[in-house]
Amino acid sequence: MTMETLEIVAPAFAAGLLVAFAHAPLGIEVLRRGIVFIDLAIAQIVGLVIVVVAVAGHEGSWLGVQVASAAAAVAAALFFRWVERALPDEQEAVIGCCYVLAASAALLALDRDPHGGEEMTRLLSGQILLASWTDIAVAAPILAGVGVIWLVIPRLRRGVAFFILFALAVTAAVRLVGVYVVFSSLILPALAVNKRDGPSLGMAWASAGTAVLGGILVSSLLDLPAGPVLVVAFAASALIFRLALSRRRRFA
């Protein structure tokens, strides 16, 4: 790997590892609660806000986009918290409907935009290889803060605090890695360790970190789109870790 290539992928490695640090514990909790599609729903709602702001011609106002995205994500998270308590049997159905509605609204918003297809691809797949150190500096306090709070204040893992932390982490990650990688980084590392006697956060981090490093390396060396490669890498890493952990448990 040349120095020029390293300068390009170094911010991508940092961004991916930062997302993995925040998302692995959240994903374990999402899986425990049985609300898997909340990841996609909130990420797509954030994406819808980004699209609407761009179509309105205000994409240059980073602060405005971030505030609007965070507000929408938190509002959606609080709504899902209400659904969890009021309609527990229909929770996943409601979350799925919200995802489809947000995705359809984004497509409608981009229908008359000549660059709509490109914008949608960027929203879904992300452009992590184009992430700058400035982008990371902006997202780092949110993602790292969520991860640290999760570890040091266990009581915030319950109730409405979980939904707010989740919404903030997803908001910060969507602009860095895209909707698909947000979902993959939340769910696949959690699936990798889900059948152990109590999910291991350390192993989930290891699975996620392996996926990030391998995915970005393959993407940069083979000149493939980073988002889809990362999704495949998260899936492959989760499968390998799951099989290895199951085998170790069987022979323990």
Side-chain angles (χ1 to χ4, degrees):
M1 182 179 292
T2 66
M3 184 59 66
E4 182 180 356
T5 303
L6 185 60
E7 290 176 355
I8 294 173
V9 301
F13 282 135
L17 293 174
L18 186 62
V19 169
F21 169 71
H23 282 190
L26 294 173
I28 290 172
E29 180 65 14
V30 163
L31 212 58
R32 186 188 71 79
R33 289 170 177 253
I35 50 174
V36 173
F37 291 108
I38 191 175
D39 315 6
L40 276 175
I42 292 184
Q44 188 61 60
I45 289 167
V46 170
L48 171 61
V49 173
I50 294 171
V51 164
V52 170
V53 172
V55 169
H58 302 297
E59 67 272 20
S61 174
W62 178 89
L63 181 60
V65 174
Q66 199 70 10
V67 170
S69 300
V74 170
L78 293 176
F79 170 69
F80 293 145
R81 166 59 173 168
W82 175 83
V83 171
E84 181 184 54
R85 302 183 68 179
L87 304 167
D89 295 337
E90 299 174 327
Q91 185 177 16
E92 275 289 84
V94 172
I95 291 172
C97 289
C98 289
Y99 164 72
V100 170
L101 285 170
S104 298
L107 289 172
L108 289 173
L110 290 170
D111 181 60
R112 299 186 184 279
D113 188 327
H115 304 290
E118 179 183 338
E119 183 66 29
M120 182 57 67
T121 299
R122 182 171 64 180
L123 172 64
L124 296 175
S125 298
Q127 291 183 314
I128 193 171
L129 288 180
L130 298 182
S132 67
W133 290 114
T134 300
D135 296 328
I136 295 166
V138 168
I142 302 172
L143 291 169
V146 167
V148 170
I149 288 171
W150 187 267
L151 294 175
V152 303
I153 312 178
R155 69 177 183 275
L156 294 183
R157 302 175 189 178
R158 302 184 298 272
V160 70
F162 161 72
F163 287 86
I164 293 174
L165 290 174
F166 186 89
L168 294 176
V170 169
T171 300
V174 166
R175 290 177 66 84
L176 280 178
V177 300
V179 172
Y180 293 157
V181 176
V182 165
F183 179 81
S184 300
S185 62
L186 282 158
I187 297 303
L188 286 167
L191 281 174
V193 301
N194 192 46
K195 289 300 181 182
R196 299 194 73 210
D197 296 330
S200 168
L201 178 55
M203 286 296 179
W205 273 330
S207 176
T210 300
V212 168
L213 296 176
I216 291 175
L217 187 62
V218 168
S219 174
S220 60
L221 292 178
L222 300 183
D223 193 25
L224 293 171
V229 172
L230 276 170
V231 171
V232 173
F234 271 106
S237 178
L239 179 60
I240 291 169
F241 270 76
R242 176 113 176 198
L243 291 174
L245 291 171
S246 297
R247 183 179 179 85
R248 189 174 74 177
R249 185 174 65 249
R250 189 180 306 122
F251 291 100

